Coordinates of all heavy atoms in Angstrom, one line a residue:
Q1 N 110.6 34.5 138.6 CA 109.8 33.3 138.5 C 108.4 33.3 138.9 O 107.5 32.8 138.4 CB 110.6 32.2 139.3 CG 109.9 30.8 139.3 CD 109.9 30.2 137.9 OE1 111.0 30.0 137.3 NE2 108.7 29.9 137.4
V2 N 108.2 34.1 140.0 CA 106.8 34.2 140.5 C 105.9 34.9 139.5 O 104.7 34.6 139.4 CB 106.8 35.0 141.9 CG1 107.3 36.5 141.7 CG2 105.5 35.0 142.6
I3 N 106.5 35.8 138.7 CA 105.6 36.4 137.7 C 105.3 35.4 136.6 O 104.2 35.5 136.0 CB 106.5 37.7 136.9 CG1 106.7 38.8 138.1 CG2 105.8 38.2 135.8 CD1 107.5 39.9 137.6
V4 N 106.3 34.5 136.2 CA 106.0 33.5 135.3 C 104.9 32.6 135.8 O 104.0 32.4 135.0 CB 107.3 32.6 135.1 CG1 107.0 31.5 134.1 CG2 108.4 33.4 134.6
N5 N 104.9 32.3 137.1 CA 103.8 31.4 137.7 C 102.5 32.0 137.5 O 101.5 31.4 137.1 CB 104.1 31.1 139.1 CG 105.4 30.3 139.3 OD1 106.0 29.7 138.3 ND2 105.9 30.2 140.5
V6 N 102.4 33.4 137.8 CA 101.2 34.1 137.8 C 100.6 34.2 136.3 O 99.6 34.0 136.1 CB 101.2 35.4 138.5 CG1 99.9 36.3 138.3 CG2 101.5 35.3 139.9
A7 N 101.5 34.5 135.4 CA 101.2 34.7 134.0 C 100.7 33.4 133.5 O 99.7 33.2 132.7 CB 102.4 35.2 133.2
E8 N 101.4 32.2 133.8 CA 100.9 30.9 133.4 C 99.5 30.6 134.0 O 98.6 30.1 133.3 CB 101.9 29.8 133.9 CG 103.2 29.8 133.0 CD 104.1 28.7 133.5 OE1 104.0 28.3 134.7 OE2 104.7 28.0 132.6
G9 N 99.3 31.0 135.3 CA 98.1 30.8 135.9 C 97.0 31.5 135.3 O 95.8 31.3 135.3
E10 N 97.2 32.7 134.6 CA 96.2 33.5 133.9 C 96.2 33.2 132.4 O 95.8 33.9 131.5 CB 96.6 35.0 134.1 CG 96.4 35.4 135.6 CD 96.5 36.9 135.8 OE1 96.6 37.6 134.8 OE2 96.6 37.3 136.9
K11 N 96.8 32.0 132.0 CA 96.8 31.4 130.7 C 97.6 32.1 129.7 O 97.3 32.0 128.4 CB 95.3 31.2 130.2 CG 94.3 30.6 131.2 CD 94.7 29.2 131.6 CE 93.7 28.5 132.5 NZ 94.2 27.3 133.0
A12 N 98.5 32.8 130.1 CA 99.5 33.4 129.1 C 100.5 32.4 128.6 O 101.0 31.6 129.5 CB 100.3 34.6 129.7
P13 N 100.8 32.2 127.3 CA 101.7 31.1 126.8 C 103.0 31.6 127.0 O 103.7 32.0 126.0 CB 101.2 31.1 125.4 CG 100.8 32.5 125.0 CD 100.1 33.0 126.2
V14 N 103.6 31.4 128.3 CA 105.0 31.9 128.4 C 105.8 30.7 129.1 O 105.3 29.8 129.7 CB 105.0 33.0 129.4 CG1 104.2 34.3 128.8 CG2 104.3 32.8 130.9
Q15 N 107.1 30.9 128.9 CA 108.1 30.1 129.5 C 109.2 31.0 129.9 O 109.4 32.1 129.4 CB 108.6 28.9 128.7 CG 107.6 27.8 128.4 CD 108.2 26.6 127.7 OE1 109.4 26.6 127.4 NE2 107.3 25.8 127.2
A16 N 110.1 30.5 130.9 CA 111.2 31.2 131.2 C 112.4 30.3 131.5 O 112.3 29.2 131.7 CB 110.9 32.0 132.5
T17 N 113.6 31.0 131.4 CA 114.8 30.3 131.6 C 115.9 31.1 132.2 O 115.8 32.3 132.1 CB 115.4 29.6 130.2 OG1 116.4 28.7 130.5 CG2 115.9 30.7 129.3
L18 N 117.0 30.5 132.7 CA 118.2 31.1 133.2 C 119.1 31.1 132.0 O 119.6 30.0 131.7 CB 118.8 30.6 134.4 CG 120.1 31.2 134.9 CD1 119.8 32.6 135.5 CD2 120.8 30.3 136.0
P19 N 119.3 32.1 131.3 CA 120.1 32.0 130.1 C 121.6 31.5 130.3 O 122.0 31.6 131.4 CB 120.2 33.5 129.5 CG 118.9 34.1 130.1 CD 118.8 33.5 131.5
K20 N 122.2 31.1 129.3 CA 123.6 30.5 129.3 C 124.6 31.5 129.8 O 125.6 31.0 130.4 CB 124.0 29.9 127.9 CG 124.0 30.9 126.9 CD 124.3 30.1 125.5 CE 124.5 31.1 124.4 NZ 124.6 30.4 123.1
E21 N 124.4 32.8 129.7 CA 125.4 33.7 130.2 C 125.2 34.0 131.7 O 126.2 34.6 132.2 CB 125.2 35.1 129.5 CG 125.4 35.1 127.9 CD 124.1 34.8 127.2 OE1 123.1 34.6 127.9 OE2 124.1 34.8 126.1
G22 N 124.2 33.4 132.3 CA 124.0 33.7 133.7 C 123.0 34.8 133.8 O 122.4 35.3 132.8
A23 N 122.8 35.3 135.1 CA 121.8 36.4 135.3 C 122.1 37.1 136.7 O 122.9 36.7 137.4 CB 120.4 35.7 135.3
T24 N 121.4 38.2 136.8 CA 121.4 38.9 138.1 C 120.4 38.2 139.0 O 119.6 37.4 138.5 CB 121.2 40.4 137.9 OG1 119.9 40.6 137.3 CG2 122.3 41.0 137.2
G25 N 120.4 38.5 140.2 CA 119.4 37.9 141.2 C 119.5 38.6 142.5 O 120.1 39.7 142.7
W26 N 118.8 38.0 143.5 CA 118.7 38.7 144.9 C 118.7 37.6 145.9 O 118.3 36.5 145.8 CB 117.5 39.6 144.9 CG 116.2 38.9 144.4 CD1 115.8 38.9 143.1 CD2 115.3 38.1 145.1 NE1 114.6 38.3 143.0 CE2 114.3 37.7 144.2 CE3 115.3 37.6 146.5 CZ2 113.3 36.8 144.6 CZ3 114.3 36.8 146.9 CH2 113.3 36.4 145.9
S27 N 119.2 38.1 147.1 CA 119.2 37.3 148.3 C 119.0 38.3 149.5 O 119.8 39.3 149.6 CB 120.4 36.4 148.4 OG 120.4 35.8 149.7
D28 N 118.2 38.0 150.4 CA 117.9 38.9 151.6 C 118.5 38.2 152.9 O 118.6 36.9 152.9 CB 116.4 39.1 151.8 CG 115.9 39.9 150.6 OD1 116.6 40.6 149.9 OD2 114.6 39.9 150.4

């Protein structure tokens, strides 16, 4: 998500989603 935010901030026409199958992720 943070990459999406930066890319959008640099005017890249991007969007992102959590796909219907689910996804991997992280927690510290």
Side-chain angles (χ1 to χ4, degrees):
Q1 182 63 57
V2 65
I3 294 176
V4 180
N5 293 349
V6 174
E8 286 184 327
E10 296 185 8
K11 309 304 181 184
V14 298
Q15 287 187 10
T17 190
L18 179 70
K20 60 186 180 183
E21 298 90 358
T24 57
W26 47 268
S27 175
D28 294 338

